[in-house]
Amino acid sequence: MSRSMPGQDAAMLQDMSPLLKIRAERDRMSAIERRIGDFLLDNAHLLRDYSSQQLASALGISQSSVVKFSQKLGFKGYPDLKFSIGEALARADAGPGVPHPAPPAQPPHMALGDALWRGKARAREETSVVNPVERIDAVVQAIAGADRVFLCGMGQDGLHARSFGLRLALHGIATVAHSDPLSMAASVHTAHPRDVLVAFSEHGRQSDLCHLSRRFRERRGYIVSITRHSANPLRAHADTPLLVCAHDEEGLVESLIYQAALEHLLDMTLLLLCRRSGHLSVDERDRIGQTPHAADP
């Protein structure tokens, strides 16, 4: 089974729009970088009036911090970043010459629903960007060739782990799913090199899951982590990390769009597995009680 390449994260940034780069990389930014990024996202249409020194003064930081931020995103400096943002906005604003009347005001419930839909769509787009096709293909190949797929997560992550494990089992893939790390630790004792561990953890900081990953590594199994797009211990243990991007100022909304982006990522992985095996139309409701599945009682 192939391992993920260390240069993939940097390479995949090259084709992204600058504002999408900022949103996608926000979880991995320092506090100062997040301040700069948030200012650029909130004031993108006004940047033509800001030099790097003016931007630094507005944020109370050094000019060199602005320059380093621009370079970290793959630009020569702030002028290139500002120009690229201007181009992206111009493309987004381009449209038919005939002006359209302003849409009528929406009822509050409809406006809330539209905002949630846009947040989910943006999170799915960002999540797709930070998971290049080579990374998804590596996970599909590993699961398709595995003797068994171990799945583990705690709390809300555990629900995603068990749900994905059941769907894999419905397609004939042997699975072992637990939301209790102690139960999974007992199962990991039987793992061997042709097994795969899929560890779910939004923030990737659970010490129990990191310990499980180390034990699985000792058994020479293949490890897939599913976490936020941030530097975290669980991701560091994985052969192939799958990453989820989701941001919102309101905690509940951020949780909802995280789950939507994660489900979309899992759906894509399952669809590719089905296409690989030739099973495209499976009635899961009819088979749910007929397929063996190792899970918590």
Side-chain angles (χ1 to χ4, degrees), residues 30-224:
S30 67
I32 291 179
E33 290 169 345
R34 282 197 297 271
R35 287 176 60 197
I36 299 172
D38 290 344
F39 185 90
L40 297 181
L41 291 173
D42 293 340
N43 301 278
H45 286 87
L46 306 176
L47 290 184
R48 64 178 180 271
D49 299 324
Y50 279 86
S51 67
S52 59
Q53 182 59 59
Q54 290 170 325
L55 176 58
S57 297
L59 294 174
I61 59 177
S62 67
Q63 187 177 8
S64 64
S65 295
V66 177
V67 175
K68 290 177 181 177
F69 176 86
S70 304
Q71 293 172 340
K72 186 172 182 179
L73 291 178
F75 298 93
K76 293 181 180 178
Y78 174 73
D80 286 340
L81 171 59
K82 182 168 69 171
F83 179 78
S84 183
I85 290 176
E87 281 191 324
L89 291 175
R91 288 193 298 269
D93 292 341
V98 179
H100 296 280
Q106 292 180 314
H109 288 58
M110 186 177 296
L112 181 63
D114 284 352
L116 180 60
W117 182 87
R118 288 193 299 272
K120 289 182 177 181
R122 185 172 62 249
R124 287 195 296 267
E125 179 187 9
E126 294 170 7
T127 297
S128 296
V129 168
V130 300
N131 292 285
V133 292
E134 297 84 3
R135 184 175 297 172
I136 301 293
D137 287 344
V139 173
V140 170
Q141 180 180 352
I143 293 177
D147 287 343
R148 290 174 300 173
V149 178
F150 294 74
L151 304 103
C152 190
M154 293 181 281
Q156 183 71 44
D157 295 312
L159 297 179
H160 292 296
R162 295 178 67 181
S163 173
F164 188 55
L166 178 58
R167 293 161 71 191
L168 291 178
L170 290 171
H171 291 280
I173 297 174
T175 62
V176 181
H178 292 291
S179 57
D180 175 19
L182 293 178
S183 299
M184 179 57 81
S187 299
V188 164
H189 278 297
T190 68
H192 57 74
R194 287 184 58 84
D195 290 336
V196 172
L197 170 65
V198 184
F200 290 72
S201 175
E202 179 175 353
H203 299 288
R205 300 193 188 105
Q206 284 97 338
S207 58
D208 288 337
L209 286 181
C210 292
H211 178 69
L212 274 177
S213 298
R214 288 193 293 269
R215 298 291 295 275
F216 206 81
R217 171 77 65 216
E218 293 171 0
R219 310 295 296 183
R220 300 181 62 191
Y222 190 91
I223 302 170
V224 177

Side-chain angles (χ1 to χ4, degrees), residues 8-28:
Q8 285 180 341
D9 283 351
M12 71 186 176
L13 291 176
Q14 299 303 315
D15 298 328
M16 297 168 59
S17 73
L19 297 178
L20 182 56
K21 286 182 185 180
I22 293 170
R23 287 197 297 266
E25 291 295 302
R26 191 179 185 280
D27 280 342
R28 298 203 298 178

Side-chain angles (χ1 to χ4, degrees), residues 116 120 156 160 202 228 244 246-248 250-262:
L116 180 60
K120 289 182 177 181
Q156 183 71 44
H160 292 296
E202 179 175 353
R228 279 186 174 273
V244 180
H247 311 289
D248 194 89
E250 185 176 344
L252 176 57
V253 174
E254 181 168 277
S255 175
L256 292 173
I257 63 177
Y258 173 86
Q259 293 173 47
L262 172 57

